[in-house]
Amino acid sequence: MTATLPPAERADAPSSAARDRRAALPRAVLRLHRKALVVGAVLVGLFTLLLLGSLLWRSAYSPAEVAACGTGSGCPGLNAYETAHTVYWSLLNQSQNVLLLVPLVIAAYAAGPLTARERELGTHHLLWTQSAASPVRWLRSTLALGSVAVAVGAVFLVMVFRTAVAPMEGVWGFGGWEPGGYVGSGPVLVAYCLLGLAFGVCAGTLIGRALPAIFAGVAGTGVLLVAGTFGRPWLWPVSTVVTPFSEGRGAWPSPGTDWPKGAEVRGQWLVTGDGVRIDPASCTAPTGGIKECGVRAGVESWLVEFHPLSHRLPLQLVETGLVLLLAVLAVGAAFLVLRRRTP
């Protein structure tokens, strides 16, 4: 005797199977790249342990205890504090450079193991068949899960760095406008990490060979990191300060006196009565230096264009938006190429 399913159950069967296939696709992507996720989590944990551990070690010595030691030698409290502070300072200094490398590492992995390796080995068709997914759906799932992992990791790194740099913000170049400190202290790091993922996927899809794709993805991300460093002073209107120039004032204006300390200077000029700007670097010693150069040219004032620290967040938001736009364009190019190359 043959049992038959009610019409409602027969109608639900295809949709249930489709839901199972959609749920299986993210699991397949996770299973394929679980080692990379574990390694990334371990590296983020090590970064956190080193930075926050050194901060806690330095914080174990209160200012009152250190001050009680005076400046004499042989004070155990002072010596221990100096050791802890040296370790903390060194790790914090190096972490600014490490944060700039994170988008490059993400671009290398996205270009090679995440996309191009399977095409180079010829196993991508097997992956698509086993997961019952089209190439576009496979790439969409890979990008979605990769973006979530990258964004969460980058946000966590920003939080750790901001916590660690707080006692030294603006001191000896930490944080502030230093490239690593600027990127690591706001949403710009998240944007550049997502850009590295997008450029890597785009390079892997376009080239299809691991090593050339890795080179292209890392080079593209690196070029934009450098371009961002030089271009970001122009992303937001600057503040200006004008100081008088006279024969008795031939020296350059100085931070903390003529403009706020900790500001990022975009440029300084000598300005004549006609409004002509003269680069002070052109007034070299053979021409009599800045003082005589300015007198001969009829200079009346110094002009300084700068970004105070209050401009840092608006600059980061504008740069983040531009970088995310480039990431979206790179992802769109990857999908366009994939659709044209696959049936």
Side-chain angles (χ1 to χ4, degrees), residues 1 13 47 76 110 146 175-176 180 195 203 223 252 274 301 321 327:
M1 184 175 180
F47 180 87
L195 179 72
V223 166
W252 293 48
D274 298 330
S301 61

PDB file of all heavy atoms in Angstrom, residues 1 13 47 76 110 146 175-176 180 195 203 223 252 274 301 321 327:
ATOM      1  N   MET A   1       0.849  -1.182   0.000  1.00  0.00           N
ATOM      2  CA  MET A   1       0.000   0.000   0.000  1.00  0.00           C
ATOM      3  C   MET A   1       0.900   1.252   0.000  1.00  0.00           C
ATOM      4  O   MET A   1       1.830   1.366   0.785  1.00  0.00           O
ATOM      5  CB  MET A   1      -0.893   0.017   1.242  1.00  0.00           C
ATOM      6  CG  MET A   1      -1.874   1.191   1.248  1.00  0.00           C
ATOM      7  SD  MET A   1      -2.982   1.045   2.650  1.00  0.00           S
ATOM      8  CE  MET A   1      -3.959   2.507   2.364  1.00  0.00           C
ATOM      9  N   ALA A  13       7.439  20.793   0.474  1.00  0.00           N
ATOM     10  CA  ALA A  13       8.682  20.041   0.342  1.00  0.00           C
ATOM     11  C   ALA A  13       9.742  20.782  -0.460  1.00  0.00           C
ATOM     12  O   ALA A  13      10.898  20.899  -0.019  1.00  0.00           O
ATOM     13  CB  ALA A  13       8.406  18.671  -0.268  1.00  0.00           C
ATOM     14  N   PHE A  47      47.358  40.217  20.045  1.00  0.00           N
ATOM     15  CA  PHE A  47      47.487  41.676  19.997  1.00  0.00           C
ATOM     16  C   PHE A  47      46.852  42.304  21.239  1.00  0.00           C
ATOM     17  O   PHE A  47      47.433  43.198  21.865  1.00  0.00           O
ATOM     18  CB  PHE A  47      46.815  42.176  18.715  1.00  0.00           C
ATOM     19  CG  PHE A  47      46.877  43.667  18.520  1.00  0.00           C
ATOM     20  CD1 PHE A  47      47.957  44.256  17.891  1.00  0.00           C
ATOM     21  CD2 PHE A  47      45.836  44.488  18.953  1.00  0.00           C
ATOM     22  CE1 PHE A  47      48.012  45.636  17.704  1.00  0.00           C
ATOM     23  CE2 PHE A  47      45.880  45.859  18.773  1.00  0.00           C
ATOM     24  CZ  PHE A  47      46.975  46.437  18.144  1.00  0.00           C
ATOM     25  N   PRO A  76      63.471  50.849  43.827  1.00  0.00           N
ATOM     26  CA  PRO A  76      62.831  49.712  43.143  1.00  0.00           C
ATOM     27  C   PRO A  76      61.537  50.092  42.447  1.00  0.00           C
ATOM     28  O   PRO A  76      61.266  49.642  41.337  1.00  0.00           O
ATOM     29  CB  PRO A  76      62.597  48.710  44.279  1.00  0.00           C
ATOM     30  CG  PRO A  76      63.565  49.105  45.342  1.00  0.00           C
ATOM     31  CD  PRO A  76      63.712  50.581  45.243  1.00  0.00           C
ATOM     32  N   ALA A 110      42.264  37.189   0.898  1.00  0.00           N
ATOM     33  CA  ALA A 110      41.069  37.233   0.051  1.00  0.00           C
ATOM     34  C   ALA A 110      41.407  36.953  -1.400  1.00  0.00           C
ATOM     35  O   ALA A 110      40.630  36.318  -2.125  1.00  0.00           O
ATOM     36  CB  ALA A 110      40.388  38.594   0.180  1.00  0.00           C
ATOM     37  N   GLY A 146      32.728  36.764   5.130  1.00  0.00           N
ATOM     38  CA  GLY A 146      34.029  37.398   5.273  1.00  0.00           C
ATOM     39  C   GLY A 146      33.920  38.829   5.769  1.00  0.00           C
ATOM     40  O   GLY A 146      34.715  39.269   6.608  1.00  0.00           O
ATOM     41  N   GLY A 175      48.885  58.088  18.504  1.00  0.00           N
ATOM     42  CA  GLY A 175      47.535  58.498  18.149  1.00  0.00           C
ATOM     43  C   GLY A 175      47.594  59.745  17.293  1.00  0.00           C
ATOM     44  O   GLY A 175      48.456  59.903  16.431  1.00  0.00           O
ATOM     45  N   GLY A 176      46.704  60.669  17.551  1.00  0.00           N
ATOM     46  CA  GLY A 176      46.730  61.934  16.841  1.00  0.00           C
ATOM     47  C   GLY A 176      46.688  61.761  15.331  1.00  0.00           C
ATOM     48  O   GLY A 176      45.805  61.108  14.788  1.00  0.00           O
ATOM     49  N   GLY A 180      49.472  55.343  11.474  1.00  0.00           N
ATOM     50  CA  GLY A 180      48.962  54.169  12.165  1.00  0.00           C
ATOM     51  C   GLY A 180      48.002  54.513  13.275  1.00  0.00           C
ATOM     52  O   GLY A 180      46.967  53.858  13.450  1.00  0.00           O
ATOM     53  N   LEU A 195      37.999  47.173   2.486  1.00  0.00           N
ATOM     54  CA  LEU A 195      38.560  47.444   1.158  1.00  0.00           C
ATOM     55  C   LEU A 195      39.563  46.368   0.768  1.00  0.00           C
ATOM     56  O   LEU A 195      39.594  45.931  -0.393  1.00  0.00           O
ATOM     57  CB  LEU A 195      39.238  48.813   1.159  1.00  0.00           C
ATOM     58  CG  LEU A 195      39.899  49.221  -0.160  1.00  0.00           C
ATOM     59  CD1 LEU A 195      38.848  49.547  -1.208  1.00  0.00           C
ATOM     60  CD2 LEU A 195      40.829  50.414   0.043  1.00  0.00           C
ATOM     61  N   ALA A 203      40.595  40.892  -7.271  1.00  0.00           N
ATOM     62  CA  ALA A 203      41.812  40.424  -7.927  1.00  0.00           C
ATOM     63  C   ALA A 203      41.770  38.919  -8.146  1.00  0.00           C
ATOM     64  O   ALA A 203      42.155  38.421  -9.221  1.00  0.00           O
ATOM     65  CB  ALA A 203      43.034  40.806  -7.096  1.00  0.00           C
ATOM     66  N   VAL A 223      48.462  50.873  -2.266  1.00  0.00           N
ATOM     67  CA  VAL A 223      48.458  52.164  -2.962  1.00  0.00           C
ATOM     68  C   VAL A 223      47.396  53.088  -2.379  1.00  0.00           C
ATOM     69  O   VAL A 223      47.625  54.289  -2.170  1.00  0.00           O
ATOM     70  CB  VAL A 223      48.238  51.957  -4.474  1.00  0.00           C
ATOM     71  CG1 VAL A 223      47.886  53.271  -5.157  1.00  0.00           C
ATOM     72  CG2 VAL A 223      49.484  51.351  -5.102  1.00  0.00           C
ATOM     73  N   TRP A 252      59.889  81.084  11.840  1.00  0.00           N
ATOM     74  CA  TRP A 252      58.632  80.425  11.492  1.00  0.00           C
ATOM     75  C   TRP A 252      57.669  80.495  12.676  1.00  0.00           C
ATOM     76  O   TRP A 252      58.096  80.458  13.834  1.00  0.00           O
ATOM     77  CB  TRP A 252      58.890  78.961  11.153  1.00  0.00           C
ATOM     78  CG  TRP A 252      59.670  78.742   9.910  1.00  0.00           C
ATOM     79  CD1 TRP A 252      60.819  79.344   9.520  1.00  0.00           C
ATOM     80  CD2 TRP A 252      59.344  77.813   8.873  1.00  0.00           C
ATOM     81  NE1 TRP A 252      61.251  78.868   8.322  1.00  0.00           N
ATOM     82  CE2 TRP A 252      60.371  77.923   7.888  1.00  0.00           C
ATOM     83  CE3 TRP A 252      58.313  76.913   8.672  1.00  0.00           C
ATOM     84  CZ2 TRP A 252      60.370  77.153   6.730  1.00  0.00           C
ATOM     85  CZ3 TRP A 252      58.318  76.141   7.517  1.00  0.00           C
ATOM     86  CH2 TRP A 252      59.327  76.267   6.558  1.00  0.00           C
ATOM     87  N   ASP A 274      50.079  91.710  -2.065  1.00  0.00           N
ATOM     88  CA  ASP A 274      49.199  91.426  -3.198  1.00  0.00           C
ATOM     89  C   ASP A 274      48.509  90.074  -3.083  1.00  0.00           C
ATOM     90  O   ASP A 274      47.795  89.666  -3.998  1.00  0.00           O
ATOM     91  CB  ASP A 274      49.995  91.465  -4.515  1.00  0.00           C
ATOM     92  CG  ASP A 274      50.598  92.832  -4.778  1.00  0.00           C
ATOM     93  OD1 ASP A 274      49.988  93.819  -4.327  1.00  0.00           O
ATOM     94  OD2 ASP A 274      51.671  92.892  -5.405  1.00  0.00           O
ATOM     95  N   SER A 301      52.703  88.899   5.948  1.00  0.00           N
ATOM     96  CA  SER A 301      52.177  87.985   6.968  1.00  0.00           C
ATOM     97  C   SER A 301      52.572  86.552   6.665  1.00  0.00           C
ATOM     98  O   SER A 301      52.976  86.197   5.546  1.00  0.00           O
ATOM     99  CB  SER A 301      50.645  88.086   7.036  1.00  0.00           C
ATOM    100  OG  SER A 301      50.069  87.731   5.785  1.00  0.00           O
ATOM    101  N   GLY A 321      33.778  56.914   4.250  1.00  0.00           N
ATOM    102  CA  GLY A 321      32.781  56.834   3.190  1.00  0.00           C
ATOM    103  C   GLY A 321      33.403  56.622   1.822  1.00  0.00           C
ATOM    104  O   GLY A 321      32.911  55.807   1.024  1.00  0.00           O
ATOM    105  N   ALA A 327      35.323  50.083  -2.086  1.00  0.00           N
ATOM    106  CA  ALA A 327      35.125  48.659  -1.809  1.00  0.00           C
ATOM    107  C   ALA A 327      33.886  48.134  -2.520  1.00  0.00           C
ATOM    108  O   ALA A 327      33.896  47.034  -3.094  1.00  0.00           O
ATOM    109  CB  ALA A 327      35.017  48.433  -0.305  1.00  0.00           C
TER     110      ALA A 327
END
